[in-house]
Amino acid sequence: MSTDSVVPEAPHFTVHYRCDDYLIVNKSSGLLSVPGKGEHLFDSLLTRLQAVESNIKLVHRLDRDTSGLMVFALNIEAQRNISKQFETRLTDKIYQAILLGELVGEGQIDVPVRYEPLTPPLHVADSLHPKAALTNWKAINNFNINNILVTKVLLKPVTGRSHQLRVHSQYIGHAIVGDSLYADDVGSGLIDRLCLHAAALSFNHPVTGERVTYTQDADFWSL
């Protein structure tokens, strides 16, 4: 398959950090983490990295419309080590988000999230689903966008279910600004991107065992 015609200039990515064992990459909103089904969905962060780093190895994913930090391994040992940390919840992730409405203080959202086959690609909160989903949140400040009250929030997922942060935000009545799937028409149109960004990522270095942390603010965080 020729890929020359399916690698656009944007959305883009930047290499945040590099060592012998892994890359930390800051992904833009709108770029797939991995290829989807069909040639029109071939372009992704993984395929772009593979074009210049033949030994690049996937560790985890972000939703297409979520921006922020991802780690990619540069050898099989590092991939196994860091992937295991994700599986056993040894990693720490903090997301920056802007949510509709007013939130104050902090709290926890504890309700399972599952895929809803009747309305793909939506996921739903389902208290009867067997796999737990847990998110901690902390409000930072309130402000207005086009006279609509919103809140900057830090989200810390304990589990890593698909669409977890988006569904949990909607579940508590404060969908993420710019979310075309889970916000109403007003909320989805306030900003032309999903206001969800993986701003901090911590894990143990796969060789030294040292705890390492990488941070990068979202472009919307200065609003």
Side-chain angles (χ1 to χ4, degrees), residues 5-59:
S5 63
V6 291
V7 183
E9 292 290 329
H12 61 277
F13 70 92
T14 56
V15 176
H16 185 81
Y17 175 82
R18 180 192 178 100
C19 69
D20 291 340
D21 298 290
Y22 58 83
L23 285 177
I24 303 295
V25 178
N26 185 30
K27 183 185 83 69
S28 289
S29 176
L31 179 62
L32 290 167
S33 293
V34 299
K37 295 181 179 179
E39 186 171 355
H40 67 294
L41 296 176
F42 178 80
D43 180 41
S44 68
L45 180 52
L46 179 62
T47 52
R48 293 189 191 191
L49 289 171
Q50 287 174 331
V52 294
E53 295 275 358
S54 59
N55 58 337
I56 204 81
K57 301 184 186 306
L58 184 70
V59 173

Side-chain angles (χ1 to χ4, degrees), residues 85-105:
Q85 293 185 58
F86 273 88
E87 292 170 8
T88 57
R89 302 181 188 174
L90 292 178
T91 59
D92 286 310
K93 295 159 283 183
I94 297 175
Y95 290 73
Q96 295 170 336
I98 300 177
L99 272 56
L100 289 164
E102 181 181 18
L103 290 89
V104 294

Side-chain angles (χ1 to χ4, degrees), residues 40 53 77 114 163 186 223:
H40 67 294
E53 295 275 358
E77 292 82 9
R114 64 166 176 81
H163 289 201
V186 172
L223 292 175

